Amino acid sequence: MIDESKQNLVCFRTLGKDQPWSLQTYIEVGGYSSLKKLLKEKTEAEVIIEEIKTSGLRGRGGAGFPTGLKWSFMPRTAPGQKYIVCNSDEGEPGTFKDRDILRYNPHQLIEGMIIAGYCIGASVGYNYIRGEFWQPYERFEAALAEAREAGLLGADIQGSGFDFELFVHLGAGAYICGEETALLESIEGKKGQPRFKPPFPAGFGLYGRPTTINNTETLASVPVILEKGGSWFADLGKPNNGGTKLFSVSGHVNKPGNYEIPMGTPFKDLLELAGGVRHGHRLKAVIPGGSSVPVLPGDVMMELDMDYDSISGAGSMLGAGSVIVMDETTDMVDALERLSYFYHEESCGQCTPCREGTGWLYRVIHRINTGAGKKQDLDLLTDMANKIQGRTICALGDAAAMPVTSFLTQFRSEFEAKINNKAAV
Amino acid sequence: MTEMTLSANAITEIEKELEKYPADRKESAVMAALRIVQDEFRWVSKEIMQEIADLLEMPAIHVYEVATFYSMYEHKDVGQHKICVCTNISCQLCGSKKVLDHLKKKTGVGPGETTPDGRITIKEVECLGACGGAPMMQVGKEYYENLTTDSIDRILEGLD
Ligand SMILES: Cc1cc2nc3c(=O)[nH]c(=O)nc-3n(C[C@H](O)[C@H](O)[C@H](O)COP(=O)(O)O)c2cc1C
Ligand code: SF4
Ligand code: FES
């Protein structure tokens, strides 16, 4: 069982308090002290970036890129406008953690963004919030107003000479805008279509200016790391897997929800925290990192720890920490059909393998699921998935292919059964 | 029907949005402009896209491209209440099909349809980032989570 003293230490530290989202509550738990200290002492950006590197913080948006390293790529002293952009698009099925940061601890994200801006030499930030998140958006806006009122945002913050403004850009329903360069296009008022990389955003980002994009949870972790020290954070987790992480647990569990626990916690402990599998059923499968990562059989998952290395050692990925739990009653063909529909629906259409391939994947899985599958369909699916992977501008293509190959590898007999028993359907 | 044209109020709101972006990057406010208009009229017409284009000094075709790329913008009138039911993986696992069935039973309409009296439109949508509360749906701007047939009944009764 996970010790309560190990829970809610970072992004969820205001949880359980009265009005956890208010400035007053945030200041009571130590909020804005990191920012005030670095502004007062005029701490060198390099020193802060070193501390972030020590913490082992890795991007919480899915790719797990080391945050300190990402910040160090910015030409911070180069003249001209630079930007910090927060990715609160949160559209990966199974993921619902950033919404709770926005709703319950918006000030910590604001503080994290100001500190990031200070480190990379940006005086303007945007938080891209998905358009459906209206209540979280209003919470975040209210927190921005409080911060401005308190002199924590705007010109010459706390008399330091450092200016920083922060705005919200609301999305309007497009999963692809979570991809960082599509997100930048969207802020520029365009269709959210990913850009070719290179150039990378650190050189050519928003409006062609150097830009750093980080996930909500990544940025909201920063103030606590600076308050308590990089090694404090790193030591909460495991080597190469520092800190705590928000895990969004959904599906067939008794207590679905977000759990902030140390990285490296055994999956079985997280499952217990989430109340175990519903109705006392047997665990069948888990998608450990959001719909885009390979599915794993339940018995494999029960031996793993919730960190980047343990999950990738078993052939999947920690992704955004979005744990989708499936019990023995789950129809895996049905589940994969729904996921394939999603990627087909959300493909931005720029690359032929993704635009056409996702449509084909969906149609073939649909026909298997509706009893019209053919013997050769499974090989066809594998072949198509392989033809998408690695041949597209952005990772949505891979994200569409990986569920298909992993479902077919792990649960092949269910697909075969639907094909063979089609008369019975 | 009232003619769809930018109201003084909408223009004020769009101008407030423009303050967020560099002065020479007015098109950044196009998504906000479309949302503001849709909040007023429930959908966005081609005519009003032209007005937005003029206001933001951008080609109308770009406004149109944006308006058709993002799923939240409507291109014909919808019901007074738009009900968006998530049927993605976590909601599927937790019974989103039952939610749709129950809504159909109660309103007589399914995904993509509007009740004949124009009160309710039902849409099937992708993950809304509230999977911990599956099955869930959005009505207007509000999220409703952990849906049961009883709670759906209460939500429907609460609509004007
Ligand atoms: C199709 C697609 C969707 C994505 N959606 C999100 C998202 O909703 N939120 C997010 O933070 N990152 C998302 N990402 C990852 C971002 O591109 C980017 O890696 C991330 O925001 C960087 O922040 P981090 O380093 O703090 O994780 C997505 C990537 C792809 C390819
Ligand atoms: S991989 Fe798919 S979503 Fe990504 S850029 Fe290409 S077509 Fe668009
Ligand atoms: S799957 Fe329904 S809200 Fe995420």
Side-chain angles (χ1 to χ4, degrees), chain A residues 234-390:
Chain A
D235 293 346
L236 290 171
K238 294 207 297 206
N240 199 37
N241 299 272
T244 55
K245 171 89 192 75
L246 288 174
F247 292 104
S248 302
V249 187
S250 69
H252 295 154
V253 291
N254 285 312
K255 288 197 294 174
N258 284 312
Y259 297 95
E260 186 170 44
I261 55 173
M263 199 73 97
T265 299
F267 167 74
K268 61 175 169 19
D269 291 356
L270 175 61
L271 183 62
E272 191 184 344
L273 202 59
V277 181
R278 64 164 192 188
H279 311 318
H281 283 171
R282 194 178 58 82
L283 177 68
K284 179 173 186 176
V286 178
I287 304 181
S291 67
S292 303
V293 314
V295 66
L296 291 172
D299 52 349
V300 172
M301 252 338 267
M302 288 305 269
E303 303 299 317
L304 300 181
D305 297 333
M306 296 308 295
D307 61 62
Y308 297 102
D309 295 339
S310 179
I311 305 282
S312 69
S316 188
M317 290 183 279
L318 189 71
S322 327
V323 183
I324 304 166
V325 177
M326 303 183 215
D327 74 8
E328 57 191 313
T329 67
T330 311
D331 178 334
M332 300 310 273
V333 185
D334 223 25
L336 184 63
E337 181 188 355
R338 187 62 188 83
L339 289 181
S340 299
Y341 178 79
F342 169 70
Y343 292 105
H344 169 48
E345 177 71 21
E346 299 295 337
S347 166
C348 84
Q350 273 190 113
C351 328
T352 313
C354 172
R355 184 185 61 241
E356 301 302 322
T358 53
W360 273 105
L361 290 175
Y362 167 66
R363 286 190 295 273
V364 172
I365 298 162
H366 176 72
R367 91 177 166 217
I368 296 174
N369 200 28
T370 48
K374 303 189 179 85
K375 277 239 152 20
Q376 57 279 26
D377 277 354
L378 299 187
D379 290 337
L380 180 65
L381 283 173
T382 309
D383 187 47
M384 286 191 299
N386 289 338
K387 286 203 170 107
I388 300 174
Q389 236 171 321

Side-chain angles (χ1 to χ4, degrees), chain A residues 59-61 70 87 89-91 175 178-180 213-215 218 395:
Chain A
R60 303 304 198 214
K70 186 184 260 191
N87 189 341
D89 195 45
E90 192 153 74
Y175 166 63
E179 195 281 338
E180 57 187 21
I213 301 130
N214 276 123
N215 171 255
T218 312

Side-chain angles (χ1 to χ4, degrees), chain B residues 7-8 35 52 75 84 87 99 108 137 144 146 158:
Chain B
S7 63
R35 169 177 52 81
I52 291 172
H75 299 278
C84 295
T87 59
V99 173
M137 65 188 190
Y144 295 91
N146 303 304

Side-chain angles (χ1 to χ4, degrees), chain A residues 113-125:
Chain A
M113 286 190 73
I114 305 171
I115 295 171
Y118 178 90
C119 289
I120 64 169
S123 61
V124 177

